[in-house]
Amino acid sequence: MARVGLREWLAVGRVIAAGDLLRNSGPLQEVARFERALCDETGATHALAVTSGTSALVCALQAAGIGPGDEVLVPAYTWMATVAAPLLVGAVPVLVEVDETLAMDPDDLAAKITPRSRAVIPVHMLNRPCDMDRIMSVAGAHGLVVIEDSCQAVGVRYKGRACGTIGQAGAFSFNQYKNMTVGEGGAVLTSDPDIHARAFNAHDMGWAYRGAGAPEPRGPMFVGGNYRISEIQGAILRVQLRRLRRSLSRVGKRLAIIRDVLERAGLSVAPHNDPDEVLGLVVTFDTEAEARAFARHRGVHHLFDNSKHIYTEWTPILDGRTFHPGFDPWTWAGRNAPVSAEDCPKTLDRLRRSCRIDPMARLPLFAVRLLARRMTA
Ligand SMILES: *Cc1c(COP(=O)(O)O)cnc(C)c1O
């Protein structure tokens, strides 16, 4: 979780003094400048700031032309937003197991593809990149659009590339619990000018292209929503982005210490898809009882007790209930049942046997080492 402080307060003050809070007309162009800075940080060609990670996913799906009748492959372990987003555009989510890295299993992805599959949303949970090389190759072989849900991996890299810039589009979240925060916020990243132009259309009503950071239209307008953020949010995000590398390096240093202590004690640290980028630590046991016992230590959390991050807890999705009985993506995709609790037994088993370790980013290194040793006592 990121912190906010004096620098954010001062940045907001400057925006208020300038008098215009709308991204399109604010004289300081905070949102447009944030988008450019986010491109510099990630290497994406285009970034579009939006109101949340969920709206980033919705805009990316609309930009990619995903809708009724389409299937979108998503992992069974993720925040519910990843799975709600396809439904909001009229498509159905199809659940894919996670493997021992706790990220989407590329073999199960290949096994779940049908003639209706149009897109896949791999999720980099807990700052842990997916196996993007294999996911990109499976997706490429089947013509699937890849939209990375990088909401929990802002600033994290996979083999030197920023998570969120490897697929055709990526979604970031800047809510309270993420690597950067503005309370609520998000971004769509892409290097495809068509996706960027369509995401821009989706996020701003689609009636005109206007103001700071707006791309040239690349086709006729379609109806959009309003997912714009204000200059106040843009100003805070610019400050947060400047803090990002330092705060991730605090996380990395602490996890390296903890990992070392745990591995010396013979605990089974879950493998990473990029071993050079360890910013999220998971320990997996042989049994659920061992995981539950381990989770009693300070800084340890049992993954199975993580409520809406597990597909069996997604009540409205299991029930197949949308805002209107006529809005029925499952029927449009020729399915008579939504997601079922039996869909991904391997994922449930792994989550039952696994714990995540808090990086304890605010504690000094000696205290982190002490707490890690206690975990092994
Ligand atoms: C936080 C999160 C989201 C959604 O972000 P919001 O900004 O809360 O809408 C989507 N996917 C994952 C994996 C997340 O952790």
Side-chain angles (χ1 to χ4, degrees):
M1 201 197 314
R3 277 204 281 200
V4 290
L6 181 65
R7 286 177 201 280
E8 284 83 353
W9 191 80
L10 291 170
V12 168
R14 275 194 300 276
V15 174
I16 292 172
D20 187 338
L21 308 187
L22 191 66
R23 81 160 281 169
N24 301 332
S25 49
L28 302 180
Q29 308 250 310
E30 294 285 350
V31 176
R33 289 165 78 188
F34 167 66
E35 289 170 342
R36 284 198 295 275
L38 194 58
C39 288
D40 291 342
E41 162 62 33
T42 59
T45 316
H46 307 283
L48 175 68
V50 292
T51 48
S52 69
T54 307
S55 40
L57 288 168
V58 167
C59 289
L61 287 162
Q62 292 187 349
I66 308 299
D70 298 337
E71 290 177 356
V72 179
L73 297 126
V74 296
Y77 169 52
T78 180
W79 174 239
M80 198 162 72
T82 318
V83 192
L87 290 165
L88 291 172
V89 303
V92 291
V94 172
L95 299 188
V96 177
E97 299 266 23
V98 298
D99 63 18
E100 67 279 9
T101 67
L102 278 306
M104 180 180 274
D105 179 349
D107 290 326
D108 198 49
L109 167 65
K112 298 273 170 72
I113 291 172
T114 77
R116 287 190 183 272
S117 305
R118 289 280 316 282
V120 51
I121 310 184
V123 184
H124 310 297
M125 286 295 276
L126 308 171
N127 276 344
R128 301 166 58 86
C130 297
D131 185 346
M132 287 308 292
D133 286 345
R134 289 197 53 215
I135 288 173
M136 290 305 288
S137 103
V138 172
H142 294 86
L144 305 183
V145 177
V146 179
I147 298 171
E148 293 170 78
D149 180 337
S150 205
C151 290
Q152 290 196 16
V154 172
V156 177
R157 296 187 178 127
Y158 169 80
K159 300 188 180 175
R161 296 164 76 189
C163 289
T165 66
I166 300 162
Q168 280 83 350
F172 278 2
S173 167
F174 309 122
N175 84 17
Q176 184 68 17
Y177 304 105
K178 306 296 158 88
N179 292 345
M180 281 170 50
T181 184
V182 58
E184 300 282 4
V188 181
L189 305 183
T190 185
S191 292
D192 179 332
D194 290 311
I195 297 245
H196 178 56
R198 285 177 56 93
F200 200 94
N201 178 151
H203 109 297
D204 189 13
M205 212 53 65
W207 64 274
Y209 279 75
R210 36 186 188 158
E216 282 301 307
R218 294 174 67 93
M221 303 290 163
F222 58 90
V223 182
N226 174 4
Y227 306 113
R228 299 187 307 265
I229 66 166
S230 78
E231 288 287 278
I232 290 192
Q233 290 165 291
I236 293 176
L237 284 169
R238 287 214 300 131
V239 178
Q240 286 276 305
L241 187 56
R242 277 186 242 125
R243 296 184 196 275
L244 178 67
R245 291 259 67 92
R246 201 160 30 126
S247 76
L248 287 177
S249 113
R250 289 177 71 84
V251 168
K253 274 192 197 133
R254 281 155 183 77
L255 290 185
I257 291 173
I258 301 171
R259 181 189 187 184
D260 187 51
V261 171
L262 298 185
E263 283 185 336
R264 275 171 204 272
L267 290 178
S268 166
V269 171
H272 292 87
N273 286 307
D274 181 353
D276 295 331
E277 184 85 338
V278 176
L279 294 167
L281 213 56
V282 169
V283 180
T284 302
F285 294 88
D286 291 336
T287 65
E288 177 171 5
E290 288 170 278
R292 286 200 180 275
F294 187 63
R296 290 199 199 104
H297 291 103
R298 181 166 164 202
V300 181
H301 307 271
H302 189 207
L303 283 186
F304 196 68
D305 296 337
N306 210 252
S307 82
K308 296 275 181 267
H309 293 86
I310 303 176
Y311 78 97
T312 45
E313 300 292 325
W314 301 336
T315 311
I317 291 168
L318 292 164
D319 292 351
R321 202 175 314 112
T322 66
F323 67 98
H324 188 287
F327 192 92
D328 187 352
W330 294 279
T331 301
W332 302 335
R335 297 200 157 215
N336 40 28
V339 171
S340 135
E342 283 77 50
D343 280 358
C344 292
K346 287 187 188 153
T347 297
L348 295 180
D349 173 55
R350 278 188 216 293
L351 293 172
R352 283 198 176 97
R353 293 187 288 110
S354 300
C355 295
R356 91 182 149 82
I357 312 287
D358 195 315
M360 305 186 260
R362 292 188 199 142
L363 293 185
L365 298 180
F366 78 88
V368 171
R369 185 169 286 115
L370 204 75
L371 286 169
R373 291 209 180 112
R374 281 209 194 136
M375 292 173 199
T376 65

